[in-house]
Every structure is written in C-alpha cells, then in structure tokens.
Amino acid sequence: MQASFGEIQKIVDHIETNFDREITAHEIELLSHYSYRNFQRVFFKIFNETVSGFQKRLKLENSYKKLIYTEDKISEIAWQVGYDNIQSFSKAFKKQFSVSPVEARKQKQDVFRQFIENGSPNLKFEIKYKDEVIVYCKFIKTKDYHNAEIDALWKEIEPEDEIFESAYGIIHDQPLITNRFHCRYGAAVTYDNDLKGFLKKEIFGRKYVKFTHYGLYEHILGTYRSFYRFWLSEQSLLLDNSDVIEEYTETESGEKVTHIYFPLYE
C-alpha cells in the first residue's frame, strides 16, 4: 500500500473528531479506500501504535484534561469520552496513568509543578471569541514539541518568501499528559485556493483565553509556564480539552509575536 501522509492525516483527523465513539473497520475502509488490514500497517508504521490503541489513548488523555481543566463529575467525563460506566473507565484510566481519576483530579497541581516552578507570575490576558477560520494543515509527530522539528516543517511549507496570509500552530496534545513521543503539531495556513498535500479544516469558532509571547519561538515555554501559574491560581477559569492554537505574526518593527489561544470550557 502506498499512501501519502496527507491521506493518513485525513483519517487521523476523523478519528480525533470522533474519539468518543466506536469507529469501525468498514468506516475506515470507506474513508481511506484501502483494506483495513493494509491501512493498519501504514498507520502503525507512521504512528507506532494501532488505530484502536490510538483511539483508546485519545479517550483517556482527553478525560485527563477534563479532570484537571473542568469541574465536571467523573461519571460525566467517563460518558463524555465514550465509556458506558465509571468502573470500566476508572480501570482503563488507572492502567494508563497509574493513578485513579479521583487521585488525578486531587493531584492536578503536581502535574504542573515541575514545569511551572521557574515561571514568572506576571501575565496579561484577555477573554475573546474567535470566529472560525478555514486553514490548510500539515502535521508531524514531534518529541516534546521539539522546536527544530517544528522549524523544519515550516521551512518545508514556506522555504522562501512568505506566501500565505496567516499562519497558525495547532497544539493537539498536552505534553504533561501525553507520552513525549506521541505529541502532534500542525502547521496551518490560510490560502485562497485548495493546497495539494494539505488537510483542509476549520479552527477557532469558540471562546478562548488569549495571551501573548513576544520574541523568538524557542523561548515560548517560559510564556506557557507563566500561563499555567496564573491558571492554577485562578480557580474560576475552566479550560476545554480541545486544541490550543498559536497565531504567528510580528510587530511593525519586525519583532516576532505569538498569540496563544487556550479554549475555554463552555
């Protein structure tokens, strides 16, 4: 089987959108136009896990985010991510993370403690609604959101002069929860026509807490640390488990600016 990464990503995007329900082999065959067995081989070669294993991991990682980002009842979270009962959810969760859902919620400060210990408490932010934007994306798996791999992806997309009106980064995973080798990053651009080899999708279309990083992208972790320090102290600010979006721009003087949008729980 020969398949481009773009074709695989289309199926991955479908699985991500529907992680909370069973996706059948027949459904994947219709979407990919390949046998499920052959698709599984290609998927495993690219992602180093089976389709079912990938979907199960998405369920549990999204539930972990809901546990620490929201105040929803654990039984409701189990149902939201596709488990019929809290017993099977709790068993799967503990097997994946070595703590129970109850313990994970109680220990949410511990998840961030090591990451934020050197962060600055000063942070300017705003709450705003962002209209939907249609973008064209390419995705990579990147260990711990490694900057060199992200830079290489952008150089592949825009090797010379900037040709796209807007540029965004799609942060699929919470690296303090997701295994460092499974983190996924999407480079997204706006364009007037369809782009071959890119996945077309919508981003935004909801309310966000927005904060800004000034300067080189390689120093952006410091700004994320500041945000998490602020968020942990602001108990009323509930977050959603969907993608974090980075918007890349620059000032009139040429300083690099990254606006970071964390989705708010609605």
Side-chain angles (χ1 to χ4, degrees):
M1 171 186 176
Q2 297 293 326
S4 69
F5 184 86
E7 290 175 313
I8 297 298
Q9 181 55 49
K10 180 179 179 180
I11 311 303
V12 173
D13 190 66
H14 180 77
I15 296 171
E16 289 170 338
T17 303
N18 299 279
F19 73 86
D20 56 342
R21 68 170 180 82
E22 180 184 2
I23 298 176
T24 66
H26 179 65
E27 188 175 351
I28 288 179
E29 287 179 341
L30 288 176
L31 289 168
S32 66
H33 306 295
Y34 294 103
S35 73
Y36 183 70
R37 181 178 179 182
N38 283 338
F39 182 83
Q40 279 273 32
R41 288 176 180 172
V42 174
F43 188 94
F44 190 86
K45 184 176 181 181
I46 295 173
F47 294 98
N48 200 33
E49 56 187 335
T50 64
V51 173
S52 60
F54 176 74
Q55 185 175 15
K56 181 179 179 181
R57 180 169 62 79
L58 288 184
K59 285 185 178 184
L60 294 172
E61 289 176 357
N62 276 283
S63 72
Y64 205 139
K65 287 191 237 182
K66 287 175 178 287
L67 284 168
I68 62 177
Y69 288 168
T70 79
E71 296 176 346
D72 288 355
K73 293 180 180 179
I74 294 176
S75 58
E76 292 176 350
I77 291 174
W79 179 81
Q80 289 166 6
V81 300
Y83 283 87
D84 294 331
N85 59 76
I86 193 170
Q87 290 79 16
S88 59
F89 166 66
S90 296
K91 182 178 179 180
F93 189 95
K94 188 165 187 177
K95 183 177 180 180
Q96 178 75 12
F97 300 112
S98 300
V99 294
S100 70
V102 173
E103 292 169 330
R105 171 161 277 175
K106 289 179 178 178
Q107 298 170 7
K108 96 173 184 179
Q109 296 276 348
D110 295 335
V111 174
F112 297 93
R113 180 169 289 119
Q114 184 175 355
F115 178 71
I116 68 174
E117 61 184 3
N118 296 319
S120 169
N122 298 319
L123 181 78
K124 293 182 179 180
F125 74 97
E126 62 176 312
I127 306 297
K128 66 177 301 180
Y129 182 90
K130 284 282 287 184
D131 291 330
E132 289 183 350
V133 176
I134 295 176
V135 295
Y136 297 88
C137 318
K138 283 192 174 183
F139 292 89
I140 57 171
K141 284 180 64 178
T142 171
K143 179 181 174 183
D144 286 339
Y145 289 100
H146 192 266
N147 287 333
E149 295 171 338
I150 293 174
D151 287 344
L153 176 60
W154 278 107
K155 287 178 181 177
E156 174 190 333
I157 292 174
E158 286 191 315
E160 299 176 357
D161 295 336
E162 295 183 0
I163 59 174
F164 302 114
E165 181 179 346
S166 302
Y168 306 91
I170 301 174
I171 312 299
H172 271 314
D173 304 292
Q174 166 50 268
L176 300 178
I177 295 173
T178 300
N179 182 292
R180 62 196 306 190
F181 294 101
H182 286 307
C183 292
R184 291 159 299 142
Y185 172 89
V189 297
T190 56
Y191 199 62
D192 292 336
N193 302 305
D194 287 348
L195 290 173
K196 187 176 181 180
F198 286 70
L199 173 70
K200 183 179 180 180
K201 67 178 299 175
E202 292 180 352
I203 59 173
F204 295 129
R206 61 179 304 142
K207 190 179 289 186
Y208 292 84
V209 53
K210 171 193 173 185
F211 56 104
T212 302
H213 170 75
Y214 295 94
L216 297 177
Y217 190 81
E218 62 191 62
H219 302 308
I220 201 169
L221 284 184
T223 303
Y224 274 98
R225 288 190 179 97
S226 296
F227 171 75
Y228 283 122
R229 284 175 65 92
F230 155 76
W231 170 70
L232 287 169
S233 67
E234 184 60 51
Q235 299 298 323
S236 63
L237 189 64
L238 303 181
L239 303 178
D240 189 71
N241 59 296
S242 53
D243 297 339
V244 174
I245 308 293
E246 297 176 345
E247 180 180 20
Y248 308 124
T249 183
E250 60 181 45
T251 65
E252 291 183 359
S253 61
E255 181 185 19
K256 299 295 183 182
V257 177
T258 302
H259 300 300
I260 305 170
Y261 296 86
F262 262 85
L264 288 173
Y265 180 74
E266 298 176 344

